[in-house]
Amino acid sequence: MKSMTDKRKALSVIIPAYNTQQHIEKCVESVLAQKRKDLEIILINDGSTDHTEHICKNLKQTYGEQILFLTKQNEGVSAARNLGIEKANSSYVMFLDSDDFLEPNICSKMLENAETFDLVICGYAQCEKDTEKIMSSFSCPSFSGKREDFLVHTASYLNPPFLLGPCFKLFNLDLIKKNQILFPPELSYGEDAVFVFHYLEICRSIRCIPDIGYYYRKNQKSSLSAGWKKEKLQINYRIAKQIETLLIQNHIANYQDISDGWFLNCITSYMQETAVYENSFQEVKGVFRNVKNIYQVNRLLADMKCRTKAQHILRIAARGKIWENILYLFRLKSYIQRKNL
Amino acid sequence: MTHEEKISVIVPIYNVENYLERCLKSIQCQTYQNLEVLLIDDGSSDRSAQIAKRYCEKDRRFFYHYKKNGGLSSARNLGLNMCTGGIISFIDSDDYVKKDMMEKLYKSMKRCNSKMALCNFQYIYEEAAKLPETKISVSDGTITYQEFWDFYYEGCQAPCVVAWNKLYHRSLFEDIRFPEGKVNEDEFVIYDLMKQVDNISFVQELLYFYVQRTTSIMGSKNPVKMLDGIEALLKRNEQFYEDGSYHLCERTLHKCIYGLTDIYNLIRQNNMDLPERYVSLCEMLKKELFSHYKFVEDTKLYLKARIYRIVGYQFFIWISNWKRRGK
């Protein structure tokens, strides 16, 4: 068998793992099943407390050379990914979350384009946690060109998670190392956006392929505390403003609808989660009032040129006195959703 | 380097190309390095943007955002909505600071275990008239809630109320934002901020340099805009009344009277017509002086209130003015 250790591999797939014993095996095997074989898997156990480490060690024993297995103290996904970047010995790098998995042809399709483009993006799908049934998918029609043109091309249906998620993208490792693009370890949320924004500033050319290559397992529960959810909303606001700036710089006319529209979705999710998971009605109403004042929801909705149906309803509620009482609607919606499952 | 200990420095920028470099340099070389610096450009049309962006390229703690012009409050509010640090600080873009300001204020906050820290500041004059310079002259340590208001009403209004000589724990601004479209925005929020703390830690040193220039918001005296300050005082009077601090109500109303007098003089000096807002604020003050209480303690205020009722505001102001000219 040819020794792979002297030659630099084409692609490193960095997989940070924390307590994902149920799905980690499928995740790693989906990379091993790729048609392209000149890959390196960097598997990082971020101080798991379940059987994840055991499973990883077994995988390392079976597949040896293709897997670089590292164990570290739990410091969060940013530190783990940064370690992966440090150890990677390849031309290109991809990030894979340890409960997700890849489509078998995607690495070769993306690597075909990697030499000519600084960033290659594929489509992704969300599937159910246990049955792996596909619930929704998102991809961009085929595109190749400059970064500025990419934003214009995708502006009409731009989806911030698509723009800012690090996982279904192929990055040039030399660019990352030269510009010291890293995940900020002190942020518990939004570290992905910082990384991708930084990379977007540097990269010049982008290739988008319409194929679905990445499968996200949807996590139903929300285990976030009230304070954490609020912090997440704050970080989302900042991300929305950064998106707005990026779009303005690239002369996208409806930038406000895109960034504000996305942020309104974040507000609605935040309100939904608060309504369902906090018990005291008074507290929930207080939170809703606070959000409306701090983020000036009235003005956000008034400035938007096109509104979805949900946003129309929000606008009516925000103008009148019924804003706080939307919480009953959210509870009802959650009840209906639970009954249908 | 956690983000509870990170200080988010919010710097609203508006056409300050001649001052910005000095300001940003003084922030960049702070000895306390766990900073996040939010440069909020409120629609500048000069070279401020280029200067700001240059800092962002060199130092990744600096973060630039451009917004349409909306005024100082709107820029600060945007910064508050975007910041992620556990501690908040504001710096005005034409001022500059000592290189250990953040460190000293932070250490003082930790030592006194308080949620706010305050320092004195140095006035720097550039072609502007000299102002009365006030500073708090106790030694370093803690100032209680009561002591704070004593300082405010007994001659140290500026160091107490301004937003930028302080460090704030993030939780203090959870429900508070600056009122947009008004000057003296710091007067509007100081009560709500102070209500959440029992004490403030105090550093006597002059750590901040407050640059006086004629083209700044406070440098150009516009009597109509100064009415915002009176509005803030009246609102605070209501708040003091609700929490039972009647003696503070009295002092606030006294300040209203003096404030309205000064504004009246300015209006007359500039040969302006008496704006309607002035009249309505005077009416509000009248209502306050008579509706809630009887001023058993403050006889001066009581006398003034009686005269006011009889003579109406114009004569009252003349009398007040005549008294002050005589001093």
Side-chain angles (χ1 to χ4, degrees):
Chain A
M1 211 149 29
K2 199 160 52 163
S3 165
M4 301 281 237
T5 47
D6 302 325
K7 204 173 70 163
R8 200 181 173 205
K9 300 280 175 73
L11 171 67
S12 288
V13 181
I14 298 177
I15 308 178
Y18 180 70
N19 287 355
T20 42
Q21 62 190 19
Q22 214 184 347
H23 303 297
I24 179 82
E25 201 164 346
K26 165 127 194 186
C27 169
V28 176
E29 285 176 349
S30 74
V31 186
L32 293 161
Q34 290 293 315
K35 282 199 22 228
R36 274 299 272 264
K37 294 301 175 195
D38 52 344
L39 310 177
E40 146 183 84
I41 298 176
I42 305 184
L43 184 54
I44 303 160
N45 171 27
D46 191 27
S48 299
T49 53
D50 64 356
H51 296 297
T52 303
E53 182 165 8
H54 181 75
I55 299 174
C56 291
K57 283 191 174 149
N58 280 346
L59 286 164
K60 166 80 183 169
Q61 264 197 324
T62 323
Y63 298 102
E65 281 188 350
Q66 287 170 285
I67 300 180
L68 172 61
F69 174 55
L70 305 161
T71 289
K72 64 186 284 297
Q73 266 187 328
N74 177 258
E75 284 176 311
V77 71
S78 295
R81 285 181 180 152
N82 289 342
L83 179 62
I85 292 175
E86 199 193 324
K87 298 289 181 194
N89 180 24
S90 57
S91 314
Y92 306 100
V93 73
M94 261 185 93
F95 300 97
L96 177 55
D97 281 351
S98 53
D99 47 4
D100 303 330
F101 53 97
L102 297 178
E103 197 269 335
N105 293 322
I106 196 61
C107 287
S108 49
K109 287 184 188 164
M110 289 175 86
L111 280 168
E112 269 165 17
N113 295 287
E115 257 176 79
T116 6
F117 297 95
D118 290 336
L119 179 63
V120 185
I121 310 179
C122 70
Y124 62 85
Q126 268 193 338
C127 67
E128 257 179 51
K129 187 158 177 272
D130 299 309
T131 64
E132 291 177 11
K133 192 177 84 158
I134 298 198
M135 291 158 62
S136 64
S137 67
F138 189 90
S139 71
C140 184
S142 181
F143 170 87
S144 29
K146 292 194 284 202
R147 176 195 63 210
E148 298 79 23
D149 296 333
F150 168 69
L151 289 170
V152 175
H153 174 81
T154 54
S156 52
Y157 53 95
L158 193 63
N159 171 359
F162 177 75
L163 183 66
L164 300 175
C167 281
F168 37 91
K169 298 185 166 77
L170 192 89
F171 300 93
N172 185 313
L173 188 60
D174 288 330
L175 273 181
I176 290 180
K177 290 205 158 153
K178 207 167 49 152
N179 293 283
Q180 291 184 311
I181 307 178
L182 292 169
F183 291 86
E186 73 276 3
L187 281 180
S188 44
Y189 174 79
E191 72 287 351
D192 295 353
V194 175
F195 181 87
V196 178
F197 263 124
H198 193 174
Y199 193 89
L200 278 174
E201 276 172 42
I202 308 291
C203 82
R204 290 144 307 178
S205 55
I206 299 184
R207 168 96 177 104
C208 243
I209 55 182
D211 313 68
I212 304 286
Y214 190 97
Y215 294 92
Y216 275 108
R217 242 177 255 275
K218 184 136 168 99
N219 188 351
Q220 292 289 3
K221 277 191 300 178
S222 171
S223 54
L224 304 175
S225 67
W228 209 88
K229 282 190 271 240
K230 193 166 200 182
E231 190 184 311
K232 186 173 153 181
L233 187 64
Q234 181 106 340
I235 294 179
N236 279 338
Y237 183 80
R238 182 146 154 185
I239 293 173
K241 288 291 155 197
Q242 283 179 280
I243 293 178
E244 190 183 283
T245 307
L246 188 65
L247 296 174
I248 294 175
Q249 281 169 353
N250 290 279
H251 311 294
I252 313 282
N254 61 331
Y255 64 88
Q256 212 150 4
D257 283 4
I258 295 170
S259 57
D260 286 348
W262 176 70
F263 185 64
L264 276 166
N265 286 345
C266 297
I267 291 186
T268 339
S269 308
Y270 172 65
M271 288 181 6
Q272 166 99 33
E273 285 195 10
T274 310
V276 170
Y277 292 101
E278 302 299 322
N279 288 318
S280 149
F281 279 179
Q282 281 308 333
E283 255 185 61
V284 176
K285 287 188 180 179
V287 166
F288 280 23
R289 257 194 307 261
N290 174 273
V291 163
K292 182 172 168 221
N293 291 332
I294 301 276
Y295 296 108
Q296 296 182 318
V297 176
N298 283 353
R299 210 203 282 181
L300 272 181
L301 287 160
D303 286 344
M304 287 180 69
K305 296 196 184 81
C306 314
R307 286 179 221 109
T308 64
K309 277 198 210 120
Q311 286 161 357
H312 269 292
I313 296 175
L314 271 179
R315 182 157 190 220
I316 297 171
R319 270 177 171 174
K321 301 273 165 98
I322 63 173
W323 177 258
E324 296 161 21
N325 296 311
I326 304 181
L327 92 94
Y328 301 112
L329 263 172
F330 283 131
R331 286 228 165 173
L332 185 64
K333 179 178 167 193
S334 161
Y335 179 78
I336 293 174
Q337 275 178 343
R338 265 181 289 140
K339 285 292 164 187
N340 279 343
L341 261 143
Chain B
M1 289 258 280
T2 64
H3 72 118
E4 279 105 40
E5 293 167 355
K6 182 162 70 172
I7 300 181
S8 289
V9 184
I10 299 173
V11 186
I13 296 176
Y14 184 69
N15 286 346
V16 281
E17 62 187 4
N18 294 326
Y19 302 90
L20 189 58
E21 180 81 48
R22 179 176 59 180
C23 172
L24 297 184
K25 190 121 198 247
S26 71
I27 302 176
Q28 190 192 37
C29 62
Q30 284 293 306
T31 52
Y32 190 93
Q33 293 177 338
N34 189 5
L35 304 176
E36 162 189 77
V37 187
L38 297 161
L39 306 174
I40 314 291
D41 185 348
D42 194 35
S44 295
S45 49
D46 64 359
R47 281 180 301 115
S48 304
Q50 284 110 301
I51 302 173
K53 284 182 191 164
R54 210 182 344 115
Y55 273 83
C56 296
E57 280 165 32
K58 285 192 298 187
D59 189 335
R60 286 214 76 85
R61 299 174 299 169
F62 282 69
F63 177 80
Y64 171 86
H65 184 80
Y66 179 88
K67 68 180 275 297
K68 279 191 279 211
N69 179 259
L72 178 62
S73 294
S74 68
R76 282 187 183 159
N77 288 342
L78 189 69
L80 282 169
N81 285 347
M82 292 210 278
C83 67
T84 56
I87 297 172
I88 295 176
S89 137
F90 301 97
I91 293 186
D92 279 356
S93 51
D94 48 3
D95 303 330
Y96 57 102
V97 301
K98 265 201 172 161
K99 72 170 200 266
D100 50 4
M101 173 176 166
M102 297 295 161
E103 183 184 348
K104 289 201 166 143
L105 283 175
Y106 178 80
K107 283 191 172 148
S108 164
M109 250 175 103
K110 285 295 146 190
R111 216 178 318 133
C112 307
N113 197 23
S114 56
K115 289 196 182 160
M116 239 167 106
L118 194 165
C119 68
N120 279 320
F121 54 88
Q122 171 81 46
Y123 288 75
I124 304 284
Y125 296 97
E126 306 198 349
E127 314 147 19
K130 283 210 166 222
L131 292 174
E133 297 189 10
T134 51
K135 49 175 179 266
I136 300 176
S137 10
V138 294
S139 49
D140 290 4
T142 21
I143 298 182
T144 64
Y145 177 86
Q146 277 308 323
E147 284 170 353
F148 176 86
W149 289 119
D150 287 338
F151 281 123
Y152 177 98
Y153 285 106
E154 286 167 14
C156 291
Q157 181 176 356
C160 288
V161 78
V162 292
W164 31 256
N165 62 340
K166 302 182 171 70
L167 280 186
Y168 310 82
H169 189 268
R170 186 198 185 78
S171 57
L172 297 183
F173 273 100
E174 197 167 292
D175 291 326
I176 299 177
R177 291 292 181 270
F178 293 92
E180 298 191 10
K182 298 207 191 290
V183 290
N184 293 123
E185 65 293 325
D186 38 25
E187 296 275 4
F188 284 88
V189 302
I190 191 68
Y191 176 84
D192 296 306
L193 285 170
M194 286 308 297
K195 201 77 199 112
Q196 302 176 70
V197 299
D198 300 315
N199 56 38
I200 317 188
S201 69
F202 172 66
V203 175
Q204 190 198 35
E205 196 182 334
L206 305 157
L207 295 169
Y208 187 100
F209 299 99
Y210 180 32
V211 174
Q212 297 301 303
R213 53 189 183 104
T214 43
T215 44
S216 68
I217 299 173
M218 296 310 286
S220 46
K221 285 211 175 261
N222 179 341
V224 180
K225 288 208 170 137
M226 284 165 77
L227 290 171
D228 289 335
I230 307 292
E231 192 185 315
L233 286 171
L234 285 171
K235 176 171 170 224
R236 195 184 313 152
N237 172 64
E238 271 300 317
Q239 291 170 310
F240 278 142
Y241 181 74
E242 263 158 45
D243 74 36
S245 318
Y246 300 133
H247 62 293
L248 289 171
C249 285
E250 290 168 6
R251 293 164 117 179
T252 311
L253 291 173
H254 247 135
K255 258 211 194 289
C256 282
I257 293 174
Y258 286 131
L260 283 168
T261 315
D262 287 339
I263 294 174
Y264 183 81
N265 286 337
L266 261 180
I267 288 175
R268 281 292 169 253
Q269 260 174 30
N270 295 344
N271 286 321
M272 292 165 64
D273 292 324
L274 209 59
E276 216 181 283
R277 194 169 167 217
Y278 183 90
V279 178
S280 59
L281 282 172
C282 283
E283 288 304 304
M284 275 177 74
L285 176 58
K286 199 170 174 183
K287 222 177 82 177
E288 282 306 307
L289 285 169
F290 295 105
S291 60
H292 289 316
Y293 25 49
K294 294 231 186 240
F295 301 109
V296 186
E297 287 186 40
D298 189 342
T299 43
K300 267 196 187 156
L301 188 61
Y302 183 68
L303 268 167
K304 286 181 180 161
R306 291 230 76 115
I307 298 172
Y308 189 3
R309 192 181 216 173
I310 301 166
V311 186
Y313 65 83
Q314 264 174 316
F315 273 107
F316 165 67
I317 283 165
W318 184 83
I319 292 170
S320 208
N321 230 2
W322 169 76
K323 242 191 99 189
R324 289 169 91 203
R325 248 188 286 143
K327 275 198 185 138

